[in-house]
Amino acid sequence: MRRRRALCLAAAALLAACAAPRWQQPGTPLPEVLAALGQPTLTVALPGGGQRLIYSSQPAGRQVLQAEFDAGQRFVALHQVMNEARFMALRPGVDTRTTVLQTFGPPALVEQVASFTGDIWTYRLLENFIARQAHVHIDPAGVVRRVMFTDEEPDERFLRLR
């Protein structure tokens, strides 16, 4: 019985591995990834000749994917960066508008408030199944000053009982 269960688990793992798209394999050429994913929202040059393709679902969605490529234009890794840990890694006083854009892509919303001089870039994310917003405060010089989080208010149309 134990052996049969182990074989079933191994077969399931093998099938799951086969189900991964070809472009997710390290070393896949950039043109194959572009054919699978389409044109990115933003392309960022990386040190050493590599590049990062950013695929954003903002403003309506809550995902931003980074596809990383080495200098030979071969796929290295894929990251979903819309999470609190990535925003908390921003360094106030050090990171800039450019580093935020190159990490998360364009924001869902840019706004200003009376209590802060500068822009507030708002991103939508899902953290532990809770709809949240990350607010990155960027001063007029383009420097990150603060990162705050709020829960996103649900759309009232979906809360009404019929």
Side-chain angles (χ1 to χ4, degrees):
M1 181 69 168
R2 213 178 246 186
R3 181 181 164 153
R4 183 176 179 184
R5 183 171 187 219
L7 285 173
C8 286
L9 289 173
L14 184 61
L15 285 174
C18 293
R22 164 74 178 109
W23 66 264
Q24 288 184 346
Q25 304 304 317
T28 302
L30 176 62
E32 280 187 42
V33 176
L34 289 172
L37 295 180
Q39 289 303 308
T41 306
L42 181 68
T43 300
V44 177
L46 298 175
Q51 64 181 323
R52 173 184 299 144
L53 305 184
I54 296 178
Y55 290 89
S56 176
S57 67
Q58 301 284 313
R62 291 184 172 88
Q63 287 190 340
V64 173
L65 299 175
Q66 290 180 349
E68 306 267 336
F69 294 83
D70 62 19
Q73 295 191 334
R74 299 281 181 182
F75 178 71
V76 176
L78 184 71
H79 308 283
Q80 202 297 94
V81 296
M82 267 308 115
N83 60 63
E84 288 183 22
R86 292 278 183 146
F87 282 101
M88 293 305 295
L90 290 173
R91 301 159 298 166
V94 176
D95 281 307
T96 65
R97 178 185 324 265
T98 301
T99 57
V100 173
L101 184 65
Q102 291 178 348
T103 302
F104 303 105
L109 177 67
V110 177
E111 54 192 340
Q112 297 179 336
V113 296
S115 61
F116 177 75
T117 303
D119 292 334
I120 301 173
W121 286 16
T122 299
Y123 292 88
R124 300 177 75 222
L125 61 135
L126 197 61
E127 191 72 29
N128 297 319
F129 303 103
I130 298 171
R132 306 219 57 212
Q133 294 179 337
H135 308 282
V136 182
H137 294 68
I138 302 172
D139 70 16
V143 178
V144 172
R145 292 296 166 195
R146 181 178 352 163
V147 178
M148 297 174 58
F149 297 92
T150 58
D151 290 341
E152 190 170 306
E153 293 295 322
D155 188 328
E156 292 295 324
R157 294 175 294 175
F158 297 109
L159 296 178
R160 287 188 215 126
L161 297 176
R162 296 185 185 235

